[in-house]
């Protein structure tokens, strides 16, 4: 049984209300920090904890915090990235639905450590009902003196606002998020300057994912070392994994980093195995942007070691035989799923979500989708498969923001690991419309 | 001042200068092409990705290369930086890819496009493109839109460089001209076909690198290479009055700003000069306009005639 740091009380009835949250020990960390710790102490605990950004990139949070510029007389902003729109990722949703006060508490602590007077939660527009939950919780926190002027009588005042986006995935990219918050079109900015130097309204700004901010609460409560004691190597603490696809128990699971992938998929504590007794075909381990891996490579690395749910183990093998932990959106495919169709589906998403600012992404994502559409619908030719690889190579690394890479990787990895299936769509256009590759091949074998 | 080496040539530039502008200071073939950056427009650049180069050494202090190619127009030089442009095959490969991306949805209607002959995209494709396309699907199309009485927007040809957006934004105080929609469905729009009410709105035509924004007083009148460009001026109460008039015989076919070798105007000119002053007596001619030798326009070009040895 994994220890639970964030979801410990998620099942307690009424935990979304202040009274219940407080009774479960809520806001203890704020009391501790404001009474006994300096902002530097809090920053140090986060550094010691080894916490890495849970939004996808996995950048060490403590280090990111220490980069925040602190010019005299300029306000600094803390932004919570709650735009969660990556296909397959739905962990922040659960945190905010069930534990809005945990996020508020985490943000108070972070703002205290960073010296921010004001913070915004930028939440995806489709999470309409969650906006209400957050607003109610924020009102409760104000009413009970956890937000506002001179919290707990300390020399620290803090205001927290919720701002909804309007349904664009790109606004999860931190600089697009900032543009959108400023009321502009959500186009990512050119970097440098980085938000830590010049972000919201030109002021130093820190953007963190919902889960990263929530994790600050147990770090302050139990100390950074206790957090760092969980996990393996540089993957410390617990991580929420949102599991979906052809599994018996889809849902959000809090795991200790380092849990073997095999155990996660097959144990009854987590996914409970593949649905309908089918076989595992492939997994996208970190949200639609990360490379897909076939069953053998997701369970074991190319070197034959057990694949673990950790930043390092999932990335083992680079892009040839590895993937990424990403945002923890764990999508499982059984033997009946068509990889060409899935790749086309992903590329439709990126085509639709590209902001259109830079040419490789604007034009490349559309091109990828069209070629994949052709292949999936039985009009592809052999050279289209290499064309896909070539287009994705030409997008990758040449764009303003990582959305271009995110569009390219799933396509490149699908062709790398499932080329025979793409070829089969060309060779058997009719059959490929009716059956999936695995079943058709078995019929041939019989 | 900081030192930077580009393709083996060293130059010294003030701190904060972009790699692109440092290269322009050296000049010649090693200057990366720029389709979206425009010196006069604050915030422009970074979008088209044609100007990408490789930084082989970040600075004297940090000798590591930068992990990815960078947009030279929006990357400042650092002391001791070493940059590779045309000496690095990977850069040329990436540039070729960008040209391909820019062309897949472009109508390639040069034969009927007013910009032909002075089109940055045409020049770019000529130098870095391939003669064949791998794109088989339908190209996106839009309706033509009139932006006021004198300007036409032909969105099919647009490469979304955002130059006109910055021009309109920096000339007017209202946000009337911008980008609608997202991704490859983006389009330039003046909110529901408004005209930009500003004496300088015509400059969106000059900053447009392709034939997406054209001068309606000149459309289909002549190919640019049949016209003779002259520097000319008039006493204008609104702008400097320094323009280029494009003549066929004595008749003035069109008036534009004075563009330098990188296609950037020296000064923005007003709409009266551009659209209304087409009579020979409106202008005092200074002399023939120098046009880049490589441009098709220069086939009617006089500069250097004196040096011609026959
Ligand atoms: C296209 C794109 C979409 C993103 N969407 C999200 C998102 O929905 N939520 C999120 O937390 N981070 C998202 N990110 C990552 C953020 O840019 C940023 O790295 C993150 O919020 C930093 O927080 P962390 O350090 O706590 O992980 C996205 C990045 C890109 C390029
Ligand atoms: S990579 Fe795509 S989403 Fe990112 S800035 Fe470029 S066009 Fe916009
Ligand atoms: S000119 Fe540099 S990216 Fe367009």
């Amino acid at each position: 049984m994994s220890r639970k740091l964030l979801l410990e009380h998620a099942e307690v009835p009424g935990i979304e209300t202040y009274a219940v949250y407080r009774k479960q020990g809520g806001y203890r960390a704020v009391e501790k920090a404001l009474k006994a710790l300096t902002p530097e102490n809090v920053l140090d605990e986060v550094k010691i904890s080894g916490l890495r950004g849970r939004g996808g990139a996995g950048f060490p949070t403590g280090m990111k915090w220490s980069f925040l510029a602190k010019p005299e007389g300029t306000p600094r902003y803390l932004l919570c990235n709650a735009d969660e729109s990556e296909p397959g990722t739905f962990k922040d949703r659960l945190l905010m639905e069930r534990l809005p006060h945990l996020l508020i508490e985490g943000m108070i602590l972070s703002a205290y450590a960073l010296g921010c007077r004001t913070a915004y939660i930028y939440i995806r527009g489709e999470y309409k009902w969650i906006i209400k939950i957050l607003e109610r919780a924020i009102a409760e926190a104000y009413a009970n003196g956890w937000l506002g002027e001179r919290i707990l009588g300390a020399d620290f005042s803090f205001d927290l606002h919720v701002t909804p986006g309007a349904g664009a995935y790109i606004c999860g990219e931190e600089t697009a998020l900032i543009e959108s918050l400023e009321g502009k079109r959500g186009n990512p900015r050119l970097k440098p300057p980085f938000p830590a130097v010049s972000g919201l309204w030109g002021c130093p700004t820190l953007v963190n994912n919902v889960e990263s901010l929530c994790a600050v609460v147990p770090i302050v409560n139990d100390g950074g070392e206790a957090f760092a004691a969980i996990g393996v190597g540089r993957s410390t603490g617990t991580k929420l994994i949102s599991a979906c696809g052809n599994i018996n128990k889809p849902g959000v699971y809090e795991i200790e980093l380092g849990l073997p992938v095999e155990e996660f998929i097959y144990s009854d504590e987590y996914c409970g195995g593949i649905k309908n007794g089918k076989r595992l075909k492939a997994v996208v381990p970190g949200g639609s942007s990360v490379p897909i891996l076939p069953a053998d490579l997701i369970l074991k690395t190319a070197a034959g070691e057990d694949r673990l749910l950790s930043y390092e183990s999932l990335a083992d093998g680079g892009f040839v035989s590895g993937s990424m932990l990403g945002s923890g959106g764990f999508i499982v495919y059984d033997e009946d799923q068509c990889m060409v169709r899935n790749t086309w589906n992903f590329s439709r998403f990126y085509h639709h979500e590209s902001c259109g600012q830079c040419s490789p992404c604007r034009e490349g994502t559309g091109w990828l989708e069209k070629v994949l559409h052709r292949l999936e619908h039985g009009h592809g030719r052999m050279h289209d498969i290499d064309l896909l690889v070539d287009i994705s190579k030409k997008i990758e690394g040449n764009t303003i923001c990582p959305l271009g890479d995110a569009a390219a990787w799933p396509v490149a990895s699908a062709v790398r690991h499932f080329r025979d299936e793409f070829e089969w769509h060309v060779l058997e256009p009719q059959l490929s419309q009716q059956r999936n590759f695995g079943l058709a091949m078995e019929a041939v074998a019989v | 001042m900081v030192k930077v080496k580009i393709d083996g040539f060293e130059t010294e530039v003030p701190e904060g200068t972009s790699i692109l502008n440092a290269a322009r200071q050296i000049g010649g073939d090693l200057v990366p092409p720029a389709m979206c950056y425009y010196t006069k427009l604050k915030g422009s650049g970074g979008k088209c990705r044609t100007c990408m180069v490789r930084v082989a050494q970040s600075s004297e202090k940090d000798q590591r290369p930068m992990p990815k190619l960078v947009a030279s127009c929006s990357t400042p030089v650092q002391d001791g930086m070493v940059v590779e442009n045309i000496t690095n095959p990977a850069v040329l490969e990436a540039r070729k890819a960008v040209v391909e991306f820019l062309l897949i949805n472009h109508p390639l209607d040069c034969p009927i496009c007013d910009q032909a002959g002075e089109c940055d995209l045409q020049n770019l494709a000529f130098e870095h493109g391939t003669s064949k396309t791998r794109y088989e699907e339908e190209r996106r199309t839009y309706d033509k839109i009139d932006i006021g009485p004198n300007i036409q927007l032909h969105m099919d040809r647009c490469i979304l460089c955002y130059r006109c957006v910055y021009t309109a934004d920096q000339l007017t105080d209202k946000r009337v001209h911008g980008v609608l929609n997202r991704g490859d469905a983006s389009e330039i729009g003046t909110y529901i076909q408004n005209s930009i009410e500003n004496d300088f709105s015509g400059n969106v035509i000059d900053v447009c690198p392709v034939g997406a924004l054209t001068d309606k007083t000149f459309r289909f009148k002549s190919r640019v290479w049949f016209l003779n460009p002259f520097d000319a001026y008039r006493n204008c109460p609104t702008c400097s009055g320094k323009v280029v008039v494009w003549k066929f015989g004595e008749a003035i076919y069109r008036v534009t700003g004075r563009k330098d070798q990188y296609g950037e105007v020296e000064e923005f000119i007003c709409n009266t000069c551009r659209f209304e002053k087409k009579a020979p007596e409106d202008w005092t001619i200074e002399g023939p306009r120098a046009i880049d030798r490589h441009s098709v326009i220069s086939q009617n070009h006089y500069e250097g005639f004196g040096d011609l040895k026959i």
Side-chain angles (χ1 to χ4, degrees):
Chain A
M1 189 75 185
S2 268
R3 264 164 295 183
K4 292 202 164 67
L5 301 182
L6 304 186
L7 298 184
E8 193 183 354
H9 304 298
E11 306 290 330
V12 177
I15 191 70
E16 69 280 7
T17 63
Y18 172 72
V20 177
Y21 180 75
R22 179 75 174 139
K23 206 188 261 155
Q24 298 294 335
Y27 291 103
R28 238 181 340 125
V30 175
E31 281 173 326
K32 177 175 173 185
L34 292 190
K35 291 198 173 129
L37 302 175
T38 64
E40 292 72 32
N41 293 150
V42 177
L43 174 59
D44 285 340
E45 290 303 326
V46 172
K47 274 190 187 157
I48 293 167
S49 76
L51 173 67
R52 290 166 69 175
R54 303 299 196 221
F59 193 81
T61 306
M63 201 193 295
K64 186 163 163 179
W65 284 14
S66 60
F67 290 156
L68 187 70
K70 299 195 166 141
E72 270 306 305
T74 312
R76 302 187 274 280
Y77 292 100
L78 172 67
L79 307 182
C80 169
N81 190 341
D83 193 55
E84 192 169 63
S85 335
E86 174 112 343
T89 308
F90 45 91
K91 63 187 179 68
D92 298 342
R93 167 181 168 175
L94 180 86
L95 280 173
M96 294 186 289
E97 270 181 345
R98 297 298 302 150
L99 298 157
H101 284 286
L102 181 69
L103 176 59
I104 296 170
E105 189 175 2
M107 290 189 73
I108 299 170
L109 295 168
S110 311
Y112 177 66
L114 297 161
C116 301
R117 173 73 172 74
T118 311
Y120 297 86
I121 300 173
Y122 184 91
I123 183 165
R124 72 177 288 194
E126 292 93 331
Y127 281 173
K128 280 201 181 80
W129 70 100
I130 305 181
I131 299 171
K132 294 212 186 82
I133 297 172
L134 287 173
E135 280 175 343
R136 199 175 311 130
I138 289 174
E140 285 178 321
Y142 269 108
N144 289 283
W146 299 102
L147 289 173
E149 299 295 321
R150 299 189 61 84
I151 299 165
L152 295 183
D155 185 22
F156 172 63
S157 306
F158 178 55
D159 287 307
L160 182 55
H161 309 273
V162 183
T163 313
Y169 168 64
I170 189 57
C171 289
E173 196 281 337
E174 53 187 14
T175 56
L177 186 156
I178 291 171
E179 286 278 295
S180 174
L181 255 185
E182 290 182 359
K184 302 184 190 137
R185 186 186 159 83
N187 279 2
R189 293 180 180 171
L190 298 173
K191 283 159 270 185
F194 289 91
V197 176
S198 173
L200 188 62
W201 297 302
C203 301
T205 301
L206 205 113
V207 186
N208 268 136
N209 173 255
V210 173
E211 190 187 342
S212 315
L213 292 166
C214 288
V216 179
V217 177
I219 290 172
V220 169
N221 268 331
D222 310 332
E225 279 185 33
F227 191 88
I230 304 172
V232 282
R234 298 203 303 118
S235 300
T236 59
T238 62
K239 169 95 188 81
L240 303 197
I241 305 284
S242 56
C244 63
N246 310 112
I247 44 176
N248 283 316
K249 290 166 57 195
V252 178
Y253 298 99
E254 182 167 4
I255 57 135
E256 292 180 20
L257 284 167
L259 182 79
V261 172
E262 186 158 7
E263 184 181 342
F264 184 69
I265 297 177
Y266 291 102
S267 130
D268 280 334
E269 196 184 327
Y270 306 107
C271 303
I274 310 299
K275 215 168 173 171
N276 302 323
K278 301 247 184 214
R279 282 168 303 178
L280 174 68
K281 178 171 184 176
V283 171
V284 172
S288 61
S289 304
V290 309
I292 191 168
L293 289 179
D296 52 339
L297 282 176
I298 188 69
L299 298 177
K300 295 250 189 280
T301 65
E305 285 164 25
D306 279 348
R307 186 79 80 177
L308 311 177
L309 283 169
S310 73
Y311 293 97
E312 292 77 20
S313 176
L314 278 172
D316 187 281
F319 279 5
V320 178
S321 63
S323 184
M324 276 154 50
L325 180 61
S327 56
F330 197 87
I331 314 173
V332 181
Y333 301 86
D334 72 16
E335 53 191 307
D336 288 351
Q337 306 310 314
C338 171
M339 288 299 115
V340 178
R341 189 172 186 81
N342 178 65
T343 313
W344 170 54
N345 193 28
F346 281 173
S347 74
R348 265 173 61 200
F349 174 79
Y350 292 106
H351 177 201
H352 189 257
E353 297 298 337
S354 162
C355 86
Q357 233 189 142
C358 58
S359 352
C361 173
R362 177 183 65 241
E363 305 296 342
T365 51
W367 197 1
L368 284 177
E369 197 223 310
K370 286 171 187 162
V371 175
L372 279 159
H373 179 273
R374 241 189 5 237
L375 279 162
E376 164 61 13
H377 291 87
H379 308 293
R381 269 144 314 155
M382 272 308 170
H383 64 248
D384 286 338
I385 303 170
D386 288 327
L387 180 62
L388 285 177
V389 177
D390 197 53
I391 299 171
S392 60
K393 239 190 250 150
K394 287 175 169 169
I395 301 174
E396 190 187 336
N398 292 340
T399 54
I400 296 179
C401 86
L403 189 141
D405 302 337
W409 293 337
V411 176
S413 60
V415 175
R416 188 179 314 120
H417 298 302
F418 299 96
R419 186 179 264 271
D420 46 356
E421 200 165 332
F422 282 82
E423 288 174 355
W424 183 68
H425 273 68
V426 176
L427 295 172
E428 299 284 357
Q430 245 114 47
L431 198 57
S432 69
Q433 300 290 294
Q434 297 153 10
R435 319 195 61 175
N436 88 62
F437 181 62
L439 295 179
M441 287 301 125
E442 258 163 39
V444 173
V446 169
Chain B
M1 297 297 269
V2 293
K3 273 204 187 84
V4 51
K5 200 185 244 178
I6 304 174
D7 283 343
F9 289 84
E10 198 167 61
T11 187
E12 244 182 280
V13 290
E15 215 161 324
T17 308
S18 66
I19 299 176
L20 178 72
N21 280 332
R24 284 181 176 182
Q25 182 167 318
I26 301 171
D29 285 350
L30 58 77
V31 183
M35 300 292 288
C36 69
Y37 171 79
Y38 207 83
T39 314
K40 282 201 175 48
L41 300 174
K42 226 177 117 237
S44 66
K47 297 186 176 11
C48 70
R49 318 306 282 176
T50 52
C51 69
M52 284 192 301
V53 295
R54 193 179 109 91
V55 176
Q57 174 177 315
S58 301
S59 67
E60 193 60 54
K61 268 189 247 126
D62 178 4
Q63 305 220 337
R64 287 171 307 176
M66 290 194 183
K68 296 192 222 168
L69 302 185
V70 299
S72 63
C73 66
S74 37
T75 309
V77 295
Q78 286 169 51
D79 199 29
M81 190 184 259
V82 178
V83 178
E84 296 164 356
N85 179 23
I86 52 173
T87 49
N88 188 317
V91 171
L92 297 178
E93 192 58 31
R95 191 162 296 148
K96 212 161 139 185
V98 172
V99 176
E100 183 172 31
F101 284 134
L102 287 175
L103 289 179
I104 60 171
N105 272 303
H106 191 79
L108 299 173
D109 58 346
C110 312
I112 54 151
C113 175
D114 279 311
Q115 192 87 1
E118 56 176 10
C119 174
D120 291 346
L121 186 60
Q122 216 176 22
N123 295 344
L124 184 75
F126 186 73
E127 268 175 57
H128 299 281
T130 49
S131 52
K132 270 207 196 135
T133 178
R134 299 187 290 170
Y135 186 72
E136 303 169 21
E137 355 289 317
E138 223 169 279
R139 286 158 201 263
R140 58 168 180 260
T141 51
Y142 304 81
D143 292 335
K144 295 189 191 78
I145 293 175
D146 282 329
I147 301 180
N150 292 321
I151 305 170
Q152 187 164 74
L153 169 63
H154 201 337
M155 189 58 213
D156 295 1
R157 297 173 182 153
C158 173
I159 58 161
L160 283 164
C161 67
Y162 281 60
R163 281 180 182 176
C164 61
V165 176
Y166 290 112
T167 309
D169 214 33
Q170 287 163 29
L171 291 176
T172 64
D173 40 17
K174 282 180 292 182
R175 274 170 37 188
V176 288
H177 179 111
V179 177
L180 308 173
N181 300 329
R182 188 164 74 198
D184 65 2
S186 303
E187 56 182 295
I188 298 294
T190 51
Y191 191 59
I192 323 288
Q193 309 202 2
N194 270 330
S195 56
I196 314 162
E197 296 302 336
N198 185 282
D199 277 341
F200 286 82
S201 63
N203 288 297
V204 296
I205 299 167
D206 277 352
V207 300
C208 182
V210 295
L213 287 162
T214 48
D215 178 345
K216 282 178 71 182
T217 66
F218 174 61
R219 272 173 73 80
F220 304 132
K221 292 251 164 67
S222 170
R223 306 263 46 159
V224 291
W225 57 85
F226 293 140
L227 302 178
N228 299 327
F230 291 92
D231 281 350
Y233 72 90
R234 65 182 269 269
N235 277 332
C236 176
T238 324
C239 69
S240 69
K242 289 183 186 157
V243 302
V244 175
V245 295
W246 298 73
K247 294 171 59 162
F248 188 82
E250 276 313 295
I252 294 176
Y253 271 56
R254 69 162 178 173
V255 179
T256 67
R258 296 183 179 179
K259 291 191 186 179
D260 66 13
Q261 67 184 118
Y262 302 115
E264 298 188 5
V265 294
E266 288 163 14
E267 272 164 297
F268 288 129
I269 63 169
C270 72
N271 287 359
T272 316
C273 286
R274 183 188 304 275
F275 298 123
E276 285 160 32
K277 300 291 172 191
K278 302 276 177 87
E281 59 274 20
D282 289 333
W283 297 100
T284 310
I285 302 289
E286 291 172 19
R289 175 76 186 161
I291 300 279
D292 184 352
R293 189 166 55 81
H294 297 288
S295 164
V296 248
I297 303 169
S298 71
Q299 76 161 24
N300 285 325
H301 173 50
Y302 325 84
E303 188 210 33
F305 266 21
D307 316 331
L308 261 187
K309 290 191 184 71
I310 303 173

